Amino acid sequence: MVKEGYYFGVPLLLLGGVSYLLQWNSVAVVAVLLALFVFSFFRDPERVIPAEPGAVVSPGDGRVVVVAEEENAGRPGKRVSIFLAVWNVHVNRSPAAGTITKMEYRPGKFLAAMRERASVENEQNIFTLSTEAGELMFKQIAGLIARRVVSWKKAGEKVARGERIGLVRFGSRVDLWVPRDAEILVKVGENVKGGSSVLARWHARPAADKFDGASVADTDANLTPAGKRS
C-alpha cells in the first residue's frame, strides 16, 4: 500500500475505535468500512514487468475505452484510453523505459472519466517520454470523483518500463499516445493491468534506418572531391 493510504485510512480507524468506545455503533461500523475501502484503494501490488523488446505496457489498471487514430503536435499516431474504476489499483506506471523530457500539469474540469472529453478537458499530468524507439506521451487524468493527480517523478528523470510514477485518487483515466508505426495490441472492452499488460509493440529502428535523405546528402557534401563519384 502506498503511504497516502495511511493518511486517509488511519484517521477513519481511530474514529471507528472512539465511536465504538462511546457506543456509537453505527458510526463505528461506517468508519471501519470506509477505512477498509481506503486501504484497498491505495493497495500497490507487485507486477511482473514484460521483458520482451519493444513492449509498451499499460500505465494503469482498468478497462480500455478508446483505441483511435490521433495526431499529436502534427504527428500521426494512436491513442489508447483506459478507465480506472474505484475498485481498480490506482498506482500508475511508466509504459516504457526512457527519460521524462517534459511533464506538464494542466488544470481543468472534473468530468466523468468515461467521457471522451475528459482526455482533453479534465485536470491532468502529461508526461513526454523519450525512448529508444522515439517519443511517446501518457497522461494521468482526474475524474468526477478523483480530484487530484499525483506525480512522483519530474522532468529529466530516467524511468524503467513498469516503474511506478504516481497515482490518481478515487476513480480516473490514463491515456497513452504512440506514433503511427507502433502496433496496438488491445481492443476496446479489454481489461488491463498497469505495468504487466502489453498495450503496443514498438521496436527501436536500426541505426542504419535513422539516416534520411538529408543525412545522406550531408555525408556526400563532406566528401573530398577525390572521394566523390564522377
Side-chain angles (χ1 to χ4, degrees), residues 7-189:
Y7 299 154
F8 291 95
V10 171
L12 288 169
L13 279 182
L14 293 176
L15 174 62
V18 172
S19 299
Y20 177 75
L21 292 176
L22 295 174
Q23 297 186 344
W24 298 344
N25 294 333
S26 296
V27 175
V29 169
V30 171
V32 170
L33 289 176
L34 284 174
L36 293 176
F37 166 76
V38 167
F39 290 143
S40 174
F41 178 87
F42 286 104
R43 66 194 185 278
D44 183 19
E46 294 296 330
R47 293 285 163 80
V48 177
I49 312 301
E52 61 186 271
V56 180
V57 300
S58 178
D61 288 32
R63 181 165 60 89
V64 177
V65 292
V66 174
V67 176
E69 301 281 338
E70 182 175 277
E71 284 193 354
N72 179 19
R75 295 176 296 166
K78 305 164 187 176
R79 173 168 59 91
V80 178
S81 295
I82 299 162
F83 171 69
L84 288 68
V86 292
W87 53 81
N88 289 125
V89 173
H90 277 64
V91 173
N92 304 138
R93 293 172 178 263
S94 175
T99 300
I100 299 172
T101 56
K102 183 179 180 182
M103 198 194 81
E104 179 186 0
Y105 167 73
R106 290 184 185 174
K109 299 178 180 179
F110 298 99
L111 303 175
M114 284 286 290
R115 299 178 64 177
E116 178 66 17
R117 291 165 52 201
S119 288
V120 177
E121 298 184 23
N122 280 21
E123 175 180 312
Q124 55 194 259
N125 280 328
I126 306 172
F127 297 81
T128 301
L129 184 65
S130 177
T131 75
E132 289 185 353
E135 193 174 82
L136 60 78
M137 293 180 64
F138 61 100
K139 301 179 180 181
Q140 299 174 291
I141 304 171
L144 181 64
I145 301 175
R147 294 284 172 145
R148 188 175 178 197
V149 287
V150 179
S151 170
W152 301 328
K153 301 294 182 181
K154 58 185 179 181
E157 290 192 54
K158 293 183 181 294
V159 291
R161 178 192 296 163
E163 182 176 345
R164 298 167 175 86
I165 58 93
L167 61 86
V168 187
R169 294 176 182 167
F170 304 113
S172 55
R173 180 184 182 114
V174 290
D175 279 7
L176 169 72
W177 180 90
V178 290
R180 185 170 54 187
D181 56 340
E183 178 189 4
I184 302 297
L185 303 177
V186 293
K187 298 179 295 185
V188 172

